[in-house]
Structures are given as structure tokens and as C-alpha cells.
Amino acid sequence: MNPTAARVLRKLPLAIVWLAVVWPFALWLLCRSDPELAVRTLLAAKRIGTQTGLGLLAVTLVLCLLYPPAPAGIRLLWSRMLLAVTSDRAPLTRAIAELEHFESAARHLEVGRLALVRNQVPLAEHHLVRAIELDDSIANAHHQLGLLRFRLTRYQEAAVSLLTALRLDPDHAFGDTLLHAGRCAFLLGDTATATRLLRDHERRHGGSRKSHLWLAETLQASGETTAATAALRYAAEPSKQRLTAEENWFRAKARAKLWGRRGGA
């Protein structure tokens, strides 16, 4: 995703909340100074809101028709926005307060991790970097910083952080570090390293819809079409249980890729 678009999407939930809070107060102030203007503003806002809503609905419907994974993508986006808005801020506030009394790498890591969950990226990066400055032997600090930079599409920096975490703990985060290190290598154009890391992940940790889709894309880039198709089929197979929004998204992408292949699902 384009970095600018990613930043906009991360800030969208907070912007919506602020707008919902400020709008009634602003309308009340306007009503006190000019009631007629307040009424006109309210009617105009309703009209714009209705037109915008209908436009977004039309675009969404067209997108869903032209690109079948779109519904899964919408569900994933909504899930992430909801998490950013509804996640409890109390643990983050408490961790920041504890840090003011005593600075340590572990406390900076906790603040950074919690901030990343809430999509407060600048705050998360500041504390994760500081945690590493205080103690560069904590694998999870490098892992979390790698995930943050991966999210920002700073893949070269992300790869450095993730590979450092792997050096400190080869099985860190139940293989998630290894998985993202492999994806970084692929996105940086190093398909040989990506194939090795993602194959290693599959061998040691099994896999998920996401890992098999990423493995399939890497194998395809390496010319291993048959193996890529097998990985896609694994990622696209139906589930007896309701998938998470993320797993559902990667399954939908795998199914879309299979449609263009002979014998695809």
C-alpha cells in the first residue's frame, strides 16, 4: 500500500471520532450566533453526507463485483479500524506512567508494543527504538520495530530489525519474525533468500493462509509454478470455522489467484 494512503487509513478512525465529538459543539456555537446559518449548515451537511454515503456505497458495490476479494478487504479494514478505536487505552496509559518513575528497556518495549496495537505509530517507534538503545539483546523489541517498519513499507529497515530478532531467537513469536523476514526479502527483490526463509517457516511452523499465500508468490517469482499452485490451494481451501478478518482476506486473495490457473478453485 502507498505510504501516504496507509497513514491516512491509520488516522481515519481517530478523525471520525473527533468529528463526531466536535460537530455537535460547533453546531451549537453557530446556532447561538446565527440560528439561520446553523440550520442551513445542518441541511447542507446532511445533503453532503447522503451524497457521500451513496457514492461510497456505489463504489463499494462496483469494487465487489470487479474484484471478488474486496468484501474480505473491507472486513479487514473495518476490523483494524474498530480495534484502533475500541482497544482499551488504560494499559498504555499505565505503562507510560510507570515509565516516568523508572526507565528500562522492558518498559519502553511495553509502551511501544501497546502503542503499535492502537496504531499510534510515531509513539510506538520512539519507545521501541529507545528500548533497543537501552538493551539491544531483547528479541521482541527488534521484532516489534520490524513489524512497525514493515507496516510503513520501510522494508529495508524492517528486514534489518527482523533478522536481528531472528539472530537473537530463531523461533521468536512462533515463527512470525521468520515469516515477515521472508516477506521483506521478497519485497526487496531477493527471491532466493525469501524462498529459503519462507520454506524454513513452513517446515518449522506449519503455516497459515497468509504464510502460504506469501510462499506461493515467492515460489511463482522463482519459477516454481507447480509448488506455487499447491501453496495457493492450501491458502484457499475452505474452513469449517469462521476465519479471522486477516485470514479471510488472505484466503480470498489466494482464491482470486487460483481462478487464473488451470485446475484452480
Side-chain angles (χ1 to χ4, degrees):
M1 180 181 291
N2 181 279
T4 301
R7 285 194 295 271
V8 171
L9 288 176
R10 284 196 301 270
K11 294 179 180 179
L12 184 58
L14 184 60
I16 293 173
V17 171
W18 274 107
L19 182 61
V21 171
V22 170
W23 170 249
F25 182 68
L27 195 62
W28 175 75
L29 289 177
L30 185 60
C31 185
R32 286 177 61 88
S33 61
D34 190 338
E36 292 185 3
L37 180 58
V39 171
R40 291 197 300 271
T41 301
L42 180 60
L43 293 175
K46 286 184 177 180
R47 183 173 65 255
I48 294 172
T50 301
Q51 293 173 347
T52 302
L54 291 174
L56 288 174
L57 179 60
V59 170
T60 300
L61 290 175
V62 171
L63 183 61
C64 290
L65 290 173
L66 296 179
Y67 185 58
I74 293 170
R75 178 188 166 195
L76 177 60
L77 177 60
W78 174 252
S79 174
R80 289 177 175 175
M81 290 173 60
L82 195 63
L83 177 64
V85 171
T86 61
S87 60
D88 187 7
R89 183 176 170 79
L92 176 58
T93 303
R94 184 165 55 251
I96 292 174
E98 291 174 352
L99 186 59
E100 292 177 353
H101 296 290
F102 178 73
E103 183 184 37
S104 69
R107 288 185 174 181
H108 276 290
L109 170 58
E110 182 66 4
V111 172
R113 185 187 66 81
L114 291 171
L116 188 57
V117 169
R118 292 182 54 83
N119 271 331
Q120 295 179 238
V121 175
L123 178 67
E125 185 167 22
H126 168 75
H127 286 281
L128 292 172
V129 168
R130 182 58 181 157
I132 293 170
E133 289 174 348
L134 292 174
D135 185 352
D136 65 357
S137 67
I138 303 176
N140 197 32
H142 294 281
H143 170 73
Q144 295 292 335
L145 185 59
L147 294 184
L148 182 150
R149 289 170 170 172
F150 182 90
R151 187 181 299 183
L152 295 175
T153 69
R154 288 155 50 185
Y155 300 122
Q156 188 65 58
E157 296 174 78
V160 172
S161 296
L162 293 166
L163 290 174
T164 302
L166 282 178
R167 178 175 55 79
L168 293 168
D169 181 1
D171 291 312
H172 188 72
F174 304 100
D176 193 53
T177 306
L178 180 59
L179 173 63
H180 281 84
R183 184 60 173 179
C184 280
F186 171 75
L187 293 170
L188 291 169
D190 187 353
T191 54
T193 299
T195 301
R196 176 177 59 81
L197 292 174
L198 293 175
R199 280 293 198 194
D200 192 25
H201 178 273
E202 181 186 35
R203 178 178 58 82
R204 290 160 58 184
H205 301 283
S208 62
R209 314 280 176 165
K210 175 167 68 175
S211 68
H212 278 84
L213 176 64
W214 286 357
L215 175 61
E217 292 176 350
T218 301
L219 292 172
Q220 185 64 42
S222 301
E224 300 181 48
T225 304
T226 302
T229 300
L232 282 176
R233 285 178 176 158
Y234 182 98
E237 67 182 14
S239 174
K240 295 180 180 179
Q241 299 178 337
R242 179 176 170 81
L243 297 173
T244 64
E246 183 178 77
E247 288 285 279
N248 185 57
W249 162 244
F250 284 104
R251 177 177 181 258
K253 288 187 68 177
R255 293 181 65 197
K257 287 180 178 293
L258 277 174
W259 290 336
R261 296 168 182 261
R262 181 178 300 176

